[in-house]
Amino acid sequence: MPFVRVALDVPLDRLFDYAVEAVTAADVGRRVVVPFGSRSLVGIVMAVADAPEDAGVAIKPVDAILEDMPALPADTLALLRFCADYYQHPIGQVVHTALPSRFRDIAPFHVAEALRYVATDAAALAAAIPARAVMQHRLVAMLAVPRSEAELRRVSGTAWKTVQAWMADGSVAVTRHEAAPIGDIVGLTLNADQTAAVQSIGSGKGFGAHLLQGITGSGKTEVYLQAIAAVLAAGKQALVLVPEINLTPQLEGRFRSRFPMVELAALHSSVADGERAAAWVKAARGEARIVLGTRLAVFTPMPALGLVIVDEEHDASYKQQDGLRYSARDMAVARAKRADVPVVLGSATPSLESWHNAAQGRYRHDYLRLRATPGAKPPAWRLIGTRHAPMTDGLHPMTVGAIAERLARCEQTLIFLNRRGYAPVMHCSECGWLAACTRCSARLTVHLREGRLRCHHCGWEERLPPRCPGCGNADVKPVGQGTQRLEDVLAARFPHACVMRIDRDSTRRKGSFEAALKAIHDGRVDILVGTQMLAKGHDFPKLTLVVVTGADSGLYSADYRAAERLFAQLAQVAGRAGRAEHPGEVLVQTDFPEHPLYQALLADDYDAFAQRELDERQLAGFPPILHQAVLRAEAAKLEEAVTFLRKASSLAPNVEGVTVWDPVPATMTRLANRERAQVLVQSHSRPRLQSMLAAWMLAMRQERAGKIRWSLDVDPLEL
Ligand SMILES: [Zn+2]
Ligand SMILES: [Zn+2]
């Protein structure tokens, strides 16, 4: 009796053998239902074998092989294996993470196949039709290539009946999986930079990684669309990854309207489970020729993949922060390499990893330096020194003046402050007490209107104390500024203006964010106060002034990536200011106007900033100059976590060129009543780091962790 090796969603890094009556190689990649302990689980067949791996162990039979989902093809299985090895994560969990959640359900799932129709001999059929039957001749002309029922029905009210008659006499045949023509695609006229970029990407022949670096308004999306058009014309599929927050209905609409004849599979979190599974099936069958999705879409099987695009490739949301801690950007590059197709990484502010790869010549560096709209100007930056300046409620007189000017011209202002709540600190001036979270090593944020103190890390909240719990002093004060306080300040300063705040608190209700965006669009808002929620992807035609405040904390942070993140964030928020007819201005209130980061923003020179950051990381020994992994552990007591990590470190194999540091408490040691510590591992050699991690994790999985929760994060974004 043959056996199947099955990947199951369990935290053990192995496959499980089951016996099966009859099985062929075509069943590899299929869903199976198998008994596991007292449960029935859905698994994926990874291999077919003549003998079980462990002789002498009782092997249970498979309950059922399901044929509802297209089998995961060999290239997808290989990518998932690579992912499991790279991130040292159990293969079964990797496979199940990559599948739409609907397929973890035992119930079968059916998606009707999209059939297409084609004339068996178009010339013969045309000759048999009377010359005056115009509609029939038009149909025959169309049927020279495979067409969908919907396309044919559009020709006339009786067209479908005619086609059915031709099918009955064999003049028209049904076909499957054949790429339909994409229709006439009319793109925008490209400028010289865009043309060069599209040409360098080519049309899906051979691997090549392209870093497409261009500021807001330089027309990156148009480059994507025209590169995709070339790939579709060659009969292939395109995979487009976008950060969750950027995948707006407008962007999806732009893709759909450019390629009306092409089926597009949208794969993101606001698509319902069943719909998502159906879109995935269509992509896997080759029917959907464009896959537009977030992080997880990178694993979608696509039999005719011709191009991979990662938009806003620097965005942190490409890295999953729990479970399988993978980077969709890095997997996209790995996937393109295996499929031997081009991959485009687009950004105004590339990650230092990608920028370094381009500087080293591993990626081709394509710049979009020109604005796509002729005459459009980049926003003008102004740095306002706030040290020793006469500030009122956190606003400089120049800032107040600039806002007043916009109000007089009926234009909008956005004030960017990436800190929600009323104030970040509640402080007693008598005894120095600060409101702290009892569950985390963090301060509580003041939410004055609700009369609450909230922890933004664990969600804990309590009533605002009327007096200091330390000394009884009644004069406890909120210190510092959050978006709520800034909103109050502006409303008091400009009583006739409509001030609106947009942050996670103000948009909690479903639909409220969309309603707010509409109000801004319609010009019903004069002054916007917002966090990074507003920084991305939204175009407001009347917004001409962006004020940045509270950004200095990113300049001297202990986190070596803070400056990179800050630059990206400010470049993005600046992109909201100004359109062709209204030039924009960006004011940055800062104590450090001479700081090189601000100077690079002022000069619109990301490369200067990136080179300087890279030099610093070279000196300090940080990625991307070297490679890191971090083993994290959490326990009720810090000592337990550290003891566990010390034991773990003793299991680490000694590999030359790989450094294992001593266990240390995490930057935020206490989170939601758990104490956290970590061990950092680093190496200049990726292969050595990988082989060391593989041997280490093998040893670790033999150990009992007890109540300690631990995880390995390869290429961590945060330490
Ligand atoms: Zn006190
Ligand atoms: Zn907390």
Side-chain angles (χ1 to χ4, degrees):
M1 192 182 269
F3 298 88
V4 284
R5 304 237 145 94
V6 177
L8 293 174
D9 190 8
V10 294
L12 298 170
D13 192 23
R14 50 166 295 194
L15 299 175
F16 297 85
D17 286 344
Y18 288 90
V20 62
E21 287 290 326
V23 69
T24 70
D27 291 312
V28 173
R30 280 203 197 287
R31 297 206 308 150
V32 284
V33 180
V34 294
F36 190 80
S38 58
R39 296 177 292 166
S40 278
L41 291 183
V42 170
I44 296 290
V45 176
M46 299 297 283
V48 171
D50 295 326
E53 198 146 57
D54 304 325
V57 179
I59 306 278
K60 292 180 187 169
V62 163
D63 288 337
I65 298 184
L66 303 177
E67 299 196 357
D68 54 347
M69 174 191 98
L72 289 174
D75 63 335
T76 302
L77 292 176
L79 180 69
L80 295 174
R81 280 213 167 86
F82 169 76
C83 184
D85 289 345
Y86 188 90
Y87 294 106
Q88 306 296 333
H89 202 70
I91 179 70
Q93 292 187 326
V94 171
V95 170
H96 284 80
T97 302
L99 283 177
S101 56
R102 174 60 184 80
F103 290 124
R104 288 171 225 166
D105 197 328
I106 287 176
F109 180 82
H110 186 72
V111 183
E113 228 173 315
L115 301 179
R116 300 199 178 270
Y117 305 87
V118 65
T120 44
D121 184 345
L125 182 58
I129 300 168
R132 61 179 191 286
V134 180
M135 183 275 282
Q136 294 195 19
H137 278 286
R138 267 182 62 200
L139 266 181
V140 175
M142 281 183 77
L143 285 164
V145 292
R147 300 286 183 176
S148 69
E149 180 180 332
E151 283 174 71
L152 297 167
R153 279 183 186 277
R154 274 200 289 271
V155 174
S156 83
T158 56
W160 185 238
K161 244 184 137 173
T162 310
V163 174
Q164 282 178 312
W166 288 341
M167 275 164 65
D169 70 20
S171 310
V172 167
V174 180
T175 80
R176 290 183 168 83
H177 307 307
E178 248 186 276
I182 60 168
D184 291 332
I185 305 299
V186 182
L188 305 178
T189 307
L190 300 181
N191 64 33
D193 285 353
Q194 290 172 309
T195 307
V198 171
Q199 278 169 358
S200 108
I201 296 162
S203 56
K205 283 187 213 83
F207 170 74
H210 300 258
L211 180 60
L212 183 63
Q213 186 174 334
I215 43 163
T216 308
S218 60
K220 282 194 292 293
T221 310
E222 188 60 31
V223 171
Y224 302 156
L225 289 169
Q226 302 211 9
I228 292 169
V231 165
L232 295 176
K236 296 191 175 162
Q237 293 173 292
L239 169 64
V240 185
L241 300 180
V242 200
E244 187 80 48
I245 195 161
N246 289 54
L247 189 45
T248 56
Q250 287 87 335
L251 182 71
E252 199 180 316
R254 194 164 165 198
F255 274 77
R256 287 192 193 278
S257 69
R258 178 63 63 88
F259 306 110
M261 307 293 275
V262 173
E263 182 144 6
L264 180 148
L267 295 171
H268 51 91
S269 65
S270 56
V271 178
D273 276 359
E275 224 177 301
R276 191 177 172 129
W280 186 94
V281 167
K282 287 179 178 172
R285 283 185 189 149
E287 293 168 11
R289 315 251 321 267
I290 301 174
V291 171
L292 179 62
T294 49
R295 191 168 61 212
L296 209 50
V298 74
F299 298 115
T300 313
M302 296 172 73
L305 183 67
L307 174 66
V308 181
I309 290 170
V310 185
D311 189 29
E312 305 291 340
E313 65 88 28
H314 65 278
D315 198 285
S317 73
Y318 283 123
K319 171 95 184 188
Q320 181 152 304
Q321 297 292 1
D322 54 10
L324 170 61
R325 291 168 171 79
Y326 72 103
S327 156
R329 190 231 8 246
D330 295 348
M331 283 303 108
V333 175
R335 180 170 184 181
K337 197 166 192 177
R338 289 159 167 274
D340 200 26
V341 300
V343 56
V344 181
L345 308 176
S347 176
T349 51
S351 65
L352 270 251
E353 279 75 8
S354 298
W355 197 88
H356 182 54
N357 276 328
Q360 300 272 305
R362 283 188 289 270
Y363 294 177
R364 195 192 144 105
H365 211 151
D366 292 320
Y367 286 94
L368 299 182
R369 290 200 170 90
L370 305 165
R371 297 244 147 192
T373 317
K377 284 205 200 96
W381 288 78
R382 243 162 78 199
L383 300 171
I384 300 183
T386 44
R387 232 181 310 166
H388 316 301
M391 308 283 281
T392 326
D393 296 322
L395 295 175
H396 192 281
M398 271 163 75
T399 304
V400 175
I403 298 171
E405 250 175 64
R406 295 321 186 282
L407 285 174
R409 294 207 298 257
C410 289
E411 293 172 3
Q412 291 169 325
T413 298
L414 161 63
I415 309 207
F416 176 73
L417 172 60
N418 211 10
R419 196 189 295 137
R420 66 195 171 90
Y422 186 82
V425 179
M426 189 76 176
H427 179 239
C428 168
S429 52
E430 281 295 316
C431 72
W433 170 85
L434 294 167
C437 179
T438 51
R439 296 153 43 90
C440 305
S441 22
R443 305 263 160 77
L444 291 172
T445 301
V446 184
H447 286 250
L448 199 65
R449 246 161 275 180
E450 299 90 332
R452 314 288 287 174
L453 288 170
R454 281 192 190 133
C455 175
H456 285 183
H457 301 277
C458 73
W460 167 262
E461 57 174 82
E462 60 192 55
R463 215 163 47 86
L464 263 181
R467 48 188 66 244
C468 171
C471 71
N473 171 25
D475 191 29
V476 281
K477 281 208 181 80
V479 179
Q481 203 166 41
T483 47
Q484 285 182 10
R485 186 177 221 168
L486 193 53
E487 182 191 10
D488 289 356
V489 163
L490 289 160
R493 191 75 186 65
F494 302 102
H496 300 295
C498 173
V499 180
M500 181 187 260
R501 170 169 58 90
I502 296 203
D503 56 27
R504 213 138 41 90
D505 300 311
S506 77
T507 55
R508 225 166 271 264
R509 239 177 340 107
K510 196 171 154 53
S512 55
F513 184 50
E514 290 70 23
L517 292 181
K518 182 153 191 323
I520 303 165
H521 250 281
D522 296 350
R524 283 181 275 136
V525 180
D526 301 310
I527 302 173
L528 277 157
V529 178
T531 57
Q532 60 182 357
M533 273 188 87
L534 267 185
K536 297 179 181 179
H538 307 286
D539 287 337
F540 306 122
K542 290 184 76 182
L543 205 157
T544 58
L545 174 65
V546 169
V547 176
V548 174
T549 176
D552 285 346
S553 58
L555 296 177
Y556 299 104
S557 164
D559 176 357
Y560 68 87
R561 286 184 209 267
E564 185 185 342
R565 266 201 309 271
L566 179 61
F567 195 111
Q569 210 165 53
L570 296 187
Q572 217 148 23
V573 76
R576 302 303 121 231
R579 286 289 157 269
E581 61 280 24
H582 304 288
E585 189 177 25
V586 184
L587 302 183
V588 183
Q589 294 196 161
T590 169
D591 283 350
F592 311 97
E594 68 292 341
H595 194 282
L597 184 147
Y598 290 135
Q599 292 300 326
L601 273 165
L602 213 66
D604 198 3
D605 193 350
Y606 185 73
D607 287 349
F609 167 77
Q611 188 57 58
R612 189 177 158 274
E613 282 292 302
L614 213 52
D615 292 345
E616 276 185 12
R617 293 196 196 173
Q618 179 96 51
L619 284 173
F622 284 127
I625 304 304
L626 47 69
H627 312 290
Q628 292 182 333
V630 61
L631 183 71
R632 300 195 179 93
E634 53 173 81
K637 294 203 177 82
L638 183 61
E639 197 40 46
E640 293 168 356
V642 171
T643 307
F644 171 82
L645 288 175
R646 220 169 265 138
K647 174 99 192 293
S649 299
S650 73
L651 296 173
N654 205 342
V655 174
E656 202 199 321
V658 179
T659 311
V660 180
W661 296 93
D662 286 334
V664 289
T667 313
M668 202 172 145
T669 311
R670 194 171 170 77
L671 178 68
N673 275 337
R674 305 279 291 177
E675 301 280 348
R676 310 175 324 146
Q678 63 193 32
V679 166
L680 178 67
V681 182
Q682 61 186 37
S683 176
H684 283 277
S685 159
R686 173 72 72 185
R688 284 180 189 200
L689 178 65
Q690 287 299 318
S691 70
M692 178 272 180
L693 292 177
W696 190 20
M697 289 304 112
L698 198 65
M700 285 286 292
R701 292 204 180 92
Q702 316 297 321
E703 292 293 308
R704 288 188 170 274
K707 282 186 191 142
I708 312 278
R709 275 212 297 262
W710 65 274
S711 62
L712 181 74
D713 190 351
V714 179
D715 305 332
L717 276 192
E718 277 165 53
L719 290 182

